[in-house]
Coordinates of all heavy atoms in Angstrom, one line a residue:
M1 N 13.9 -48.1 6.4 CA 14.7 -48.2 5.2 C 15.5 -47.0 5.0 O 15.0 -46.0 4.4 CB 13.8 -48.5 4.0 CG 13.2 -49.9 4.0 SD 12.1 -50.2 2.6 CE 10.5 -50.0 3.5
H2 N 16.6 -47.0 5.5 CA 17.5 -45.8 5.4 C 18.6 -45.9 4.4 O 19.2 -44.9 4.1 CB 18.1 -45.6 6.8 CG 17.1 -45.5 7.9 ND1 16.3 -44.4 8.0 CD2 16.7 -46.3 8.9 CE1 15.5 -44.6 9.1 NE2 15.7 -45.7 9.6
R3 N 18.8 -47.0 3.9 CA 20.0 -47.2 2.9 C 19.5 -47.2 1.5 O 20.4 -47.2 0.6 CB 20.8 -48.4 3.3 CG 21.5 -48.2 4.6 CD 21.7 -49.5 5.4 NE 20.5 -50.1 5.8 CZ 19.8 -49.7 6.9 NH1 20.2 -48.8 7.7 NH2 18.7 -50.3 7.2
I4 N 18.2 -47.3 1.2 CA 17.8 -47.3 -0.2 C 16.7 -46.3 -0.3 O 16.0 -45.9 0.6 CB 17.3 -48.7 -0.6 CG1 16.0 -49.1 0.2 CG2 18.4 -49.7 -0.5 CD1 15.4 -50.4 -0.3
D5 N 16.5 -45.8 -1.5 CA 15.4 -44.9 -1.8 C 14.2 -45.8 -2.2 O 14.0 -46.3 -3.3 CB 15.7 -44.0 -3.0 CG 14.7 -43.0 -3.4 OD1 13.5 -43.2 -3.0 OD2 15.0 -42.1 -4.1
A6 N 13.3 -46.1 -1.2 CA 12.3 -47.0 -1.3 C 11.3 -46.7 -2.4 O 10.9 -47.6 -3.2 CB 11.5 -47.2 0.0
E7 N 10.9 -45.4 -2.5 CA 10.0 -45.0 -3.6 C 10.6 -45.3 -5.0 O 9.9 -45.8 -5.8 CB 9.7 -43.5 -3.4 CG 8.6 -43.1 -4.3 CD 8.2 -41.6 -4.0 OE1 8.1 -41.2 -2.9 OE2 7.9 -40.9 -5.0
R8 N 11.8 -44.9 -5.1 CA 12.5 -45.2 -6.5 C 12.6 -46.7 -6.7 O 12.3 -47.1 -7.8 CB 13.8 -44.5 -6.5 CG 14.5 -44.7 -7.8 CD 15.7 -43.8 -8.0 NE 16.4 -44.1 -9.3 CZ 17.4 -44.9 -9.4 NH1 17.9 -45.6 -8.4 NH2 17.9 -45.1 -10.6
M9 N 13.0 -47.4 -5.7 CA 13.2 -48.9 -5.9 C 11.9 -49.5 -6.3 O 11.8 -50.4 -7.1 CB 13.8 -49.5 -4.7 CG 15.3 -49.1 -4.5 SD 16.4 -49.5 -5.8 CE 16.6 -47.9 -6.6
A10 N 10.8 -49.1 -5.6 CA 9.5 -49.7 -5.8 C 9.0 -49.3 -7.2 O 8.2 -50.1 -7.8 CB 8.5 -49.2 -4.8
S11 N 9.4 -48.2 -7.7 CA 9.0 -47.8 -9.1 C 9.7 -48.6 -10.2 O 9.3 -48.7 -11.3 CB 9.2 -46.3 -9.3 OG 10.5 -46.0 -9.5
L12 N 10.9 -49.1 -9.8 CA 11.8 -49.8 -10.8 C 11.7 -51.3 -10.7 O 12.0 -52.0 -11.7 CB 13.2 -49.4 -10.6 CG 13.6 -47.9 -11.0 CD1 15.0 -47.6 -10.5 CD2 13.4 -47.6 -12.4
L13 N 11.5 -51.9 -9.5 CA 11.7 -53.3 -9.3 C 10.4 -54.0 -9.0 O 9.5 -53.5 -8.3 CB 12.7 -53.5 -8.2 CG 14.1 -52.9 -8.4 CD1 14.9 -53.0 -7.1 CD2 14.8 -53.5 -9.6
S14 N 10.3 -55.3 -9.4 CA 9.2 -56.1 -9.0 C 9.5 -56.7 -7.6 O 10.7 -56.6 -7.1 CB 9.0 -57.3 -10.0 OG 10.1 -58.2 -10.0
Y15 N 8.5 -57.3 -7.1 CA 8.7 -58.0 -5.8 C 9.9 -59.1 -5.9 O 10.8 -59.1 -5.0 CB 7.4 -58.8 -5.5 CG 7.4 -59.7 -4.3 CD1 7.3 -59.2 -3.0 CD2 7.6 -61.1 -4.5 CE1 7.3 -60.1 -1.9 CE2 7.6 -62.0 -3.4 CZ 7.4 -61.5 -2.2 OH 7.4 -62.4 -1.1
A16 N 9.9 -59.9 -6.9 CA 10.9 -60.9 -7.1 C 12.3 -60.3 -7.2 O 13.3 -60.8 -6.7 CB 10.6 -61.8 -8.2
E17 N 12.4 -59.2 -7.9 CA 13.7 -58.5 -8.1 C 14.2 -57.9 -6.8 O 15.4 -58.0 -6.5 CB 13.6 -57.4 -9.2 CG 13.4 -58.0 -10.6 CD 13.0 -57.0 -11.6 OE1 12.3 -56.0 -11.2 OE2 13.3 -57.2 -12.7
M18 N 13.3 -57.4 -6.0 CA 13.7 -56.9 -4.7 C 14.2 -58.0 -3.8 O 15.2 -57.8 -3.1 CB 12.5 -56.2 -4.0 CG 12.0 -54.9 -4.6 SD 10.6 -54.3 -3.7 CE 9.6 -53.5 -5.0
Y19 N 13.5 -59.1 -3.8 CA 14.0 -60.3 -3.0 C 15.3 -60.8 -3.5 O 16.2 -61.2 -2.8 CB 13.0 -61.4 -2.9 CG 12.2 -61.4 -1.6 CD1 10.9 -61.0 -1.6 CD2 12.9 -61.7 -0.5 CE1 10.2 -61.0 -0.4 CE2 12.2 -61.7 0.8 CZ 10.9 -61.4 0.8 OH 10.2 -61.3 2.0
A20 N 15.5 -60.8 -4.8 CA 16.7 -61.2 -5.4 C 17.9 -60.3 -5.0 O 19.0 -60.8 -4.6 CB 16.7 -61.2 -6.9
L21 N 17.7 -59.0 -4.9 CA 18.7 -58.1 -4.4 C 19.0 -58.4 -2.9 O 20.1 -58.3 -2.5 CB 18.3 -56.7 -4.7 CG 18.4 -56.2 -6.1 CD1 17.8 -54.8 -6.2 CD2 19.8 -56.3 -6.6
A22 N 17.9 -58.6 -2.1 CA 18.1 -58.9 -0.7 C 19.0 -60.2 -0.5 O 20.0 -60.2 0.2 CB 16.8 -59.1 0.0
V23 N 18.8 -61.2 -1.3 CA 19.5 -62.4 -1.3 C 21.0 -62.2 -1.7 O 21.9 -62.6 -1.1 CB 18.9 -63.5 -2.1 CG1 19.8 -64.7 -2.3 CG2 17.6 -64.0 -1.5
M24 N 21.1 -61.4 -2.8 CA 22.5 -61.1 -3.3 C 23.3 -60.3 -2.2 O 24.5 -60.7 -2.0 CB 22.4 -60.3 -4.6 CG 23.7 -59.9 -5.1 SD 23.6 -58.7 -6.5 CE 23.3 -57.2 -5.5
F25 N 22.7 -59.3 -1.6 CA 23.5 -58.5 -0.6 C 23.8 -59.3 0.6 O 24.9 -59.3 1.1 CB 22.7 -57.3 -0.2 CG 22.8 -56.1 -1.2 CD1 21.7 -55.7 -1.9 CD2 24.0 -55.5 -1.5 CE1 21.8 -54.6 -2.8 CE2 24.1 -54.5 -2.4 CZ 23.0 -54.0 -3.0
L26 N 22.8 -60.2 1.0 CA 23.1 -61.0 2.2 C 24.2 -62.0 1.9 O 25.1 -62.2 2.7 CB 21.8 -61.7 2.6 CG 21.9 -62.5 3.9 CD1 22.4 -61.6 5.1 CD2 20.6 -63.2 4.2
D27 N 24.2 -62.7 0.7 CA 25.2 -63.6 0.4 C 26.6 -62.9 0.3 O 27.6 -63.5 0.8 CB 24.8 -64.2 -1.0 CG 25.8 -65.3 -1.4 OD1 26.0 -66.3 -0.6 OD2 26.4 -65.2 -2.5
W28 N 26.6 -61.8 -0.3 CA 27.8 -61.0 -0.4 C 28.4 -60.7 1.0 O 29.5 -60.9 1.3 CB 27.6 -59.7 -1.1 CG 28.7 -58.8 -1.4 CD1 30.0 -59.2 -1.4 CD2 28.7 -57.4 -1.6 NE1 30.8 -58.0 -1.7 CE2 30.0 -57.0 -1.8 CE3 27.6 -56.5 -1.8 CZ2 30.3 -55.6 -2.1 CZ3 27.9 -55.2 -2.0 CH2 29.3 -54.8 -2.2
A29 N 27.5 -60.2 1.9 CA 27.9 -59.8 3.3 C 28.5 -61.0 4.0 O 29.4 -60.9 4.8 CB 26.8 -59.2 4.0
L30 N 27.8 -62.2 3.9 CA 28.2 -63.4 4.7 C 29.4 -64.1 4.1 O 30.0 -64.9 4.8 CB 27.0 -64.3 4.8 CG 25.8 -63.7 5.6 CD1 24.7 -64.7 5.5 CD2 26.2 -63.4 7.0
N31 N 29.6 -64.0 2.8 CA 30.6 -64.9 2.1 C 31.8 -64.2 1.5 O 32.7 -64.9 1.1 CB 29.9 -65.7 1.1 CG 28.9 -66.7 1.7 OD1 29.2 -67.4 2.6 ND2 27.6 -66.6 1.2
D32 N 31.8 -62.9 1.4 CA 33.0 -62.3 0.9 C 34.0 -61.9 1.9 O 33.8 -61.1 2.8 CB 32.6 -61.0 0.1 CG 33.7 -60.4 -0.7 OD1 34.9 -60.6 -0.3 OD2 33.4 -59.7 -1.6
P33 N 35.2 -62.6 1.9 CA 36.2 -62.4 3.0 C 36.9 -61.0 2.9 O 37.5 -60.7 3.8 CB 37.2 -63.5 2.8 CG 37.0 -63.9 1.3 CD 35.6 -63.6 0.9
N34 N 36.7 -60.3 1.8 CA 37.3 -59.0 1.6 C 36.6 -57.9 2.2 O 37.0 -56.7 2.1 CB 37.6 -58.8 0.1 CG 38.5 -59.9 -0.4 OD1 39.5 -60.2 0.2 ND2 38.1 -60.4 -1.5
I35 N 35.4 -58.1 2.7 CA 34.6 -57.0 3.3 C 34.9 -56.8 4.8 O 34.8 -57.8 5.5 CB 33.1 -57.3 3.1 CG1 32.7 -57.4 1.7 CG2 32.2 -56.2 3.8 CD1 31.3 -57.7 1.4
D36 N 35.3 -55.6 5.1 CA 35.6 -55.3 6.5 C 34.3 -55.3 7.3 O 33.2 -55.2 6.8 CB 36.3 -54.0 6.7 CG 35.5 -52.8 6.2 OD1 34.6 -52.4 6.9 OD2 35.9 -52.2 5.2
P37 N 34.3 -55.4 8.7 CA 33.1 -55.6 9.5 C 32.1 -54.4 9.3 O 30.9 -54.6 9.3 CB 33.7 -55.6 10.9 CG 35.0 -56.2 10.7 CD 35.6 -55.7 9.4
E38 N 32.7 -53.2 9.2 CA 31.8 -52.0 9.1 C 31.0 -52.1 7.8 O 29.8 -51.9 7.7 CB 32.5 -50.7 9.2 CG 31.6 -49.5 9.2 CD 32.4 -48.2 9.3 OE1 33.5 -48.2 10.1 OE2 32.0 -47.2 8.8
R39 N 31.7 -52.4 6.7 CA 31.0 -52.5 5.4 C 30.1 -53.7 5.4 O 29.0 -53.6 4.8 CB 32.1 -52.7 4.3 CG 31.6 -53.0 2.9 CD 30.9 -51.9 2.3 NE 31.9 -51.0 1.8 CZ 31.6 -49.9 1.1 NH1 30.4 -49.7 0.7 NH2 32.5 -49.1 0.7
R40 N 30.4 -54.8 6.0 CA 29.6 -56.0 6.1 C 28.3 -55.7 6.7 O 27.2 -56.0 6.2 CB 30.3 -57.1 6.9 CG 29.5 -58.4 7.0 CD 30.3 -59.5 7.7 NE 31.7 -59.5 7.5 CZ 32.3 -60.1 6.4 NH1 31.5 -60.6 5.5 NH2 33.6 -60.1 6.2
T41 N 28.3 -54.9 7.8 CA 27.1 -54.5 8.5 C 26.2 -53.6 7.5 O 25.0 -53.9 7.4 CB 27.4 -53.7 9.8 OG1 28.1 -54.5 10.6 CG2 26.1 -53.2 10.4
G42 N 26.8 -52.7 6.8 CA 26.0 -51.9 5.9 C 25.4 -52.7 4.8 O 24.3 -52.5 4.4
V43 N 26.1 -53.7 4.3 CA 25.6 -54.5 3.2 C 24.5 -55.4 3.7 O 23.4 -55.6 3.0 CB 26.7 -55.4 2.6 CG1 26.2 -56.4 1.6 CG2 27.8 -54.5 1.9
M44 N 24.6 -55.9 4.9 CA 23.5 -56.7 5.5 C 22.3 -55.8 5.8 O 21.2 -56.3 5.5 CB 24.0 -57.3 6.9 CG 25.0 -58.4 6.7 SD 25.6 -59.1 8.2 CE 24.4 -60.3 8.5
L45 N 22.5 -54.6 6.2 CA 21.3 -53.7 6.4 C 20.6 -53.4 5.0 O 19.4 -53.3 5.0 CB 21.8 -52.4 7.1 CG 22.2 -52.7 8.6 CD1 22.8 -51.4 9.1 CD2 21.0 -53.1 9.4
R46 N 21.4 -53.3 4.0 CA 20.8 -53.0 2.7 C 20.0 -54.3 2.3 O 18.9 -54.1 1.7 CB 21.9 -52.8 1.7 CG 21.5 -52.2 0.4 CD 22.6 -51.7 -0.5 NE 23.4 -50.7 0.2 CZ 23.3 -49.4 0.0 NH1 22.4 -49.0 -0.9 NH2 24.0 -48.5 0.6
A47 N 20.5 -55.5 2.6 CA 19.7 -56.7 2.3 C 18.3 -56.6 3.0 O 17.3 -56.9 2.5 CB 20.5 -57.9 2.7
V48 N 18.4 -56.2 4.3 CA 17.2 -56.1 5.1 C 16.2 -55.1 4.5 O 15.0 -55.3 4.4 CB 17.5 -55.8 6.6 CG1 16.3 -55.4 7.4 CG2 18.3 -56.9 7.2
D49 N 16.8 -54.0 4.0 CA 15.9 -53.0 3.4 C 15.2 -53.5 2.2 O 14.0 -53.2 2.0 CB 16.7 -51.7 3.1 CG 17.1 -50.8 4.2 OD1 16.5 -51.1 5.3 OD2 17.9 -49.9 4.1
F50 N 15.9 -54.2 1.3 CA 15.2 -54.7 0.1 C 14.2 -55.8 0.5 O 13.1 -55.8 -0.1 CB 16.3 -55.3 -0.9 CG 16.8 -54.2 -1.8 CD1 18.1 -53.8 -1.6 CD2 16.1 -53.6 -2.7 CE1 18.7 -52.8 -2.4 CE2 16.6 -52.7 -3.6 CZ 17.9 -52.2 -3.4
E51 N 14.5 -56.6 1.5 CA 13.5 -57.6 1.9 C 12.3 -56.9 2.5 O 11.2 -57.3 2.2 CB 14.1 -58.5 3.0 CG 13.2 -59.7 3.4 CD 13.9 -60.6 4.4 OE1 15.0 -60.4 4.8 OE2 13.2 -61.7 4.6
R52 N 12.5 -55.9 3.3 CA 11.3 -55.2 3.9 C 10.5 -54.5 2.9 O 9.3 -54.5 2.9 CB 11.8 -54.2 5.0 CG 12.2 -54.8 6.2 CD 12.6 -53.8 7.2 NE 13.1 -54.4 8.5 CZ 13.7 -53.8 9.4 NH1 14.0 -52.5 9.3 NH2 14.0 -54.4 10.5
L53 N 11.2 -53.9 1.9 CA 10.4 -53.3 0.8 C 9.6 -54.3 0.0 O 8.4 -54.0 -0.3 CB 11.4 -52.5 -0.1 CG 10.8 -51.7 -1.3 CD1 9.8 -50.7 -0.7 CD2 11.8 -51.1 -2.1
A54 N 10.2 -55.4 -0.3 CA 9.5 -56.5 -1.0 C 8.3 -56.9 -0.2 O 7.1 -57.0 -0.7 CB 10.4 -57.6 -1.3
D55 N 8.4 -57.1 1.1 CA 7.3 -57.5 2.0 C 6.2 -56.5 2.0 O 5.1 -56.8 2.0 CB 7.8 -57.8 3.4 CG 8.6 -59.1 3.5 OD1 8.5 -60.0 2.6 OD2 9.3 -59.3 4.5
H56 N 6.7 -55.2 2.1 CA 5.7 -54.1 2.1 C 4.9 -54.0 0.8 O 3.7 -53.8 0.8 CB 6.5 -52.8 2.3 CG 5.6 -51.6 2.2 ND1 4.7 -51.2 3.2 CD2 5.4 -50.7 1.2 CE1 4.1 -50.1 2.9 NE2 4.5 -49.8 1.7
C57 N 5.6 -54.2 -0.3 CA 4.9 -54.1 -1.6 C 4.0 -55.3 -1.9 O 3.0 -55.2 -2.5 CB 6.0 -54.0 -2.7 SG 6.8 -52.4 -2.7
G58 N 4.5 -56.5 -1.5 CA 3.7 -57.7 -1.6 C 4.0 -58.5 -2.9 O 4.7 -58.0 -3.8
P59 N 3.7 -59.8 -2.9 CA 4.2 -60.7 -4.0 C 3.6 -60.4 -5.3 O 4.1 -60.9 -6.3 CB 3.7 -62.1 -3.5 CG 2.7 -61.8 -2.5 CD 2.9 -60.5 -1.9
H60 N 2.6 -59.6 -5.5 CA 2.0 -59.3 -6.8 C 2.5 -57.9 -7.3 O 2.0 -57.5 -8.3 CB 0.5 -59.3 -6.7 CG 0.0 -60.7 -6.3 ND1 0.1 -61.8 -7.1 CD2 -0.6 -61.1 -5.1 CE1 -0.4 -62.8 -6.4 NE2 -0.8 -62.4 -5.2
W61 N 3.5 -57.4 -6.6 CA 3.9 -56.0 -7.0 C 4.6 -56.0 -8.3 O 5.4 -56.9 -8.6 CB 4.9 -55.5 -5.9 CG 5.4 -54.1 -6.3 CD1 6.7 -53.9 -6.8 CD2 4.7 -52.9 -6.2 NE1 6.8 -52.5 -7.0 CE2 5.6 -51.9 -6.6 CE3 3.5 -52.6 -5.7 CZ2 5.2 -50.6 -6.7 CZ3 3.1 -51.2 -5.7 CH2 4.0 -50.2 -6.2
R62 N 4.3 -55.1 -9.1 CA 5.0 -54.8 -10.4 C 5.5 -53.4 -10.4 O 4.9 -52.5 -9.8 CB 4.0 -55.0 -11.6 CG 3.5 -56.4 -11.7 CD 4.6 -57.4 -12.2 NE 4.1 -58.7 -12.3 CZ 4.4 -59.7 -11.4 NH1 5.0 -59.4 -10.3 NH2 3.9 -60.9 -11.6
P63 N 6.6 -53.1 -11.0 CA 7.2 -51.8 -11.0 C 6.2 -50.8 -11.6 O 5.5 -51.1 -12.6 CB 8.5 -51.9 -11.8 CG 8.5 -53.2 -12.4 CD 7.5 -54.0 -11.8
T64 N 6.1 -49.6 -11.1 CA 5.2 -48.6 -11.6 C 5.8 -47.7 -12.7 O 5.1 -47.1 -13.5 CB 4.7 -47.6 -10.5 OG1 5.9 -47.1 -9.8 CG2 3.9 -48.4 -9.4
D65 N 7.2 -47.7 -12.7 CA 7.9 -46.9 -13.7 C 9.1 -47.6 -14.2 O 10.2 -47.2 -14.0 CB 8.3 -45.6 -13.1 CG 8.9 -44.6 -14.1 OD1 8.6 -44.8 -15.3 OD2 9.6 -43.7 -13.7
P66 N 8.9 -48.8 -14.8 CA 10.0 -49.6 -15.3 C 10.8 -48.8 -16.3 O 10.3 -48.2 -17.2 CB 9.4 -50.9 -15.8 CG 8.0 -50.5 -16.2 CD 7.6 -49.4 -15.3
A67 N 12.1 -48.9 -16.2 CA 13.0 -48.2 -17.1 C 13.5 -49.2 -18.2 O 14.5 -48.9 -18.8 CB 14.2 -47.6 -16.3
D68 N 12.8 -50.2 -18.4 CA 13.1 -51.2 -19.5 C 14.5 -51.7 -19.4 O 15.2 -51.9 -20.4 CB 12.9 -50.6 -20.8 CG 11.4 -50.3 -21.0 OD1 10.5 -51.0 -20.5 OD2 11.1 -49.3 -21.7
G69 N 15.0 -52.0 -18.1 CA 16.3 -52.5 -17.9 C 17.5 -51.5 -18.1 O 18.6 -51.9 -18.1
K70 N 17.1 -50.2 -18.3 CA 18.2 -49.2 -18.5 C 18.8 -48.7 -17.3 O 19.8 -48.1 -17.3 CB 17.6 -48.1 -19.4 CG 17.2 -48.5 -20.7 CD 16.5 -47.4 -21.5 CE 16.0 -47.9 -22.8 NZ 15.3 -46.9 -23.6
D71 N 18.2 -49.0 -16.1 CA 18.8 -48.6 -14.9 C 19.7 -49.7 -14.3 O 19.3 -50.9 -14.4 CB 17.6 -48.3 -13.9 CG 18.1 -47.6 -12.6 OD1 18.7 -48.3 -11.8 OD2 17.9 -46.4 -12.5
V72 N 20.8 -49.3 -13.8 CA 21.8 -50.3 -13.4 C 21.2 -51.2 -12.3 O 21.5 -52.4 -12.3 CB 23.1 -49.7 -13.0 CG1 23.0 -48.9 -11.7 CG2 24.2 -50.7 -12.9
I73 N 20.4 -50.7 -11.4 CA 19.9 -51.5 -10.3 C 18.9 -52.6 -10.9 O 18.9 -53.7 -10.5 CB 19.3 -50.7 -9.2 CG1 19.1 -51.5 -7.9 CG2 17.9 -50.1 -9.6 CD1 20.3 -51.9 -7.2
Q74 N 18.2 -52.2 -11.9 CA 17.3 -53.1 -12.6 C 18.1 -54.2 -13.3 O 17.8 -55.4 -13.2 CB 16.5 -52.4 -13.7 CG 15.2 -52.0 -13.2 CD 14.4 -51.4 -14.4 OE1 15.0 -50.7 -15.2 NE2 13.1 -51.7 -14.5
F75 N 19.2 -53.9 -13.9 CA 20.0 -54.8 -14.6 C 20.6 -55.8 -13.6 O 20.5 -57.0 -13.9 CB 21.2 -54.1 -15.3 CG 22.2 -55.0 -15.9 CD1 21.9 -55.7 -17.1 CD2 23.4 -55.3 -15.3 CE1 22.9 -56.5 -17.7 CE2 24.3 -56.2 -15.8 CZ 24.1 -56.8 -17.0
I76 N 21.1 -55.3 -12.5 CA 21.7 -56.2 -11.5 C 20.6 -57.1 -10.9 O 20.8 -58.3 -10.7 CB 22.4 -55.4 -10.4 CG1 23.6 -54.7 -11.0 CG2 22.7 -56.3 -9.2 CD1 24.2 -53.6 -10.0
A77 N 19.4 -56.6 -10.6 CA 18.3 -57.4 -10.0 C 17.9 -58.4 -11.0 O 17.7 -59.6 -10.5 CB 17.2 -56.4 -9.6
T78 N 17.7 -58.1 -12.2 CA 17.3 -59.1 -13.2 C 18.3 -60.2 -13.4 O 18.0 -61.4 -13.4 CB 17.0 -58.4 -14.6 OG1 16.0 -57.4 -14.4 CG2 16.6 -59.4 -15.6
A79 N 19.6 -59.8 -13.4 CA 20.7 -60.8 -13.5 C 20.7 -61.7 -12.3 O 20.9 -63.0 -12.5 CB 22.0 -60.1 -13.7
Q80 N 20.5 -61.2 -11.1 CA 20.5 -62.0 -9.9 C 19.3 -62.9 -9.9 O 19.5 -64.1 -9.5 CB 20.5 -61.1 -8.7 CG 20.5 -61.8 -7.4 CD 21.6 -62.8 -7.1 OE1 22.7 -62.7 -7.7 NE2 21.4 -63.7 -6.1
L81 N 18.2 -62.4 -10.3 CA 17.0 -63.2 -10.3 C 17.1 -64.4 -11.3 O 16.8 -65.5 -11.0 CB 15.8 -62.4 -10.6 CG 14.4 -63.1 -10.7 CD1 14.1 -63.7 -9.3 CD2 13.3 -62.1 -11.0
D82 N 17.7 -64.1 -12.5 CA 17.9 -65.1 -13.5 C 18.9 -66.2 -12.9 O 18.7 -67.4 -13.1 CB 18.5 -64.6 -14.7 CG 17.5 -63.8 -15.5 OD1 16.3 -63.9 -15.3 OD2 17.9 -63.0 -16.4
H83 N 19.9 -65.7 -12.2 CA 20.9 -66.6 -11.6 C 20.2 -67.5 -10.6 O 20.5 -68.8 -10.6 CB 22.0 -65.8 -11.0 CG 23.0 -66.6 -10.2 ND1 24.0 -67.4 -10.8 CD2 23.2 -66.7 -8.9 CE1 24.7 -68.0 -9.9 NE2 24.3 -67.6 -8.7
M84 N 19.4 -66.9 -9.7 CA 18.7 -67.7 -8.7 C 17.8 -68.7 -9.3 O 17.7 -69.9 -8.8 CB 18.0 -66.8 -7.8 CG 18.9 -66.0 -6.9 SD 18.0 -64.6 -6.0 CE 16.8 -65.5 -5.1
L85 N 17.1 -68.4 -10.4 CA 16.1 -69.3 -11.0 C 16.9 -70.5 -11.7 O 16.4 -71.6 -11.7 CB 15.3 -68.5 -12.0 CG 14.3 -67.6 -11.3 CD1 13.6 -66.7 -12.4 CD2 13.3 -68.3 -10.5
R86 N 18.0 -70.2 -12.2 CA 18.8 -71.3 -12.9 C 19.3 -72.2 -11.9 O 19.5 -73.4 -12.2 CB 19.9 -70.7 -13.7 CG 19.5 -70.1 -15.0 CD 20.7 -69.8 -15.9 NE 21.7 -69.0 -15.3 CZ 21.8 -67.7 -15.4 NH1 20.9 -67.0 -16.0 NH2 22.8 -67.1 -14.8
R87 N 19.6 -71.8 -10.7 CA 20.2 -72.6 -9.6 C 19.1 -73.5 -8.9 O 19.5 -74.5 -8.3 CB 20.9 -71.8 -8.5 CG 22.2 -71.3 -9.0 CD 23.0 -70.4 -8.0 NE 22.6 -70.7 -6.6 CZ 23.0 -69.9 -5.6 NH1 23.8 -68.9 -5.9 NH2 22.7 -70.2 -4.4
S88 N 17.9 -73.1 -9.0 CA 16.8 -73.8 -8.3 C 16.2 -74.9 -9.1 O 16.5 -75.2 -10.2 CB 15.7 -72.9 -7.8 OG 15.2 -72.1 -8.8

């Protein structure tokens, strides 16, 4: 996991939020026609990092230092998770 601060992300995000970010980054990489190939690779690798972190933490993981939604990555993860749950 070279593209994310795994310790910080684990302290802020739940397992489901990490997976939601992985899905969001992968969808962005695969479906946004405005991303150049180099950026696309970086975005896909970020998706892999979030998926690996979620797998490492496990499905019962809860954030150890939640910032009560005040951190932008938490806000994005929560919004993406809500979006995914509404679509299913």
Side-chain angles (χ1 to χ4, degrees):
M1 285 177 260
H2 303 288
R3 289 148 297 279
I4 64 171
D5 181 342
E7 188 174 321
R8 180 168 178 267
M9 293 300 104
S11 74
L12 293 172
L13 302 171
S14 70
Y15 171 84
E17 290 167 332
M18 291 178 214
Y19 258 110
L21 287 174
V23 168
M24 181 190 75
F25 280 117
L26 185 59
D27 184 57
W28 182 25
L30 296 176
N31 297 308
D32 189 333
N34 299 313
I35 298 179
D36 63 71
E38 185 175 327
R39 173 70 76 171
R40 184 178 319 280
T41 299
V43 173
M44 289 177 87
L45 291 172
R46 196 167 299 260
V48 170
D49 283 349
F50 275 109
E51 183 177 9
R52 285 182 180 166
L53 181 59
D55 287 341
H56 173 77
C57 290
H60 301 291
W61 180 258
R62 297 288 177 260
T64 57
D65 187 23
D68 298 325
K70 295 178 184 173
D71 191 284
V72 69
I73 197 73
Q74 268 185 317
F75 174 79
I76 294 168
T78 301
Q80 176 63 17
L81 183 58
D82 289 345
H83 174 72
M84 289 169 57
L85 291 173
R86 282 193 308 269
R87 286 181 21 189
S88 54

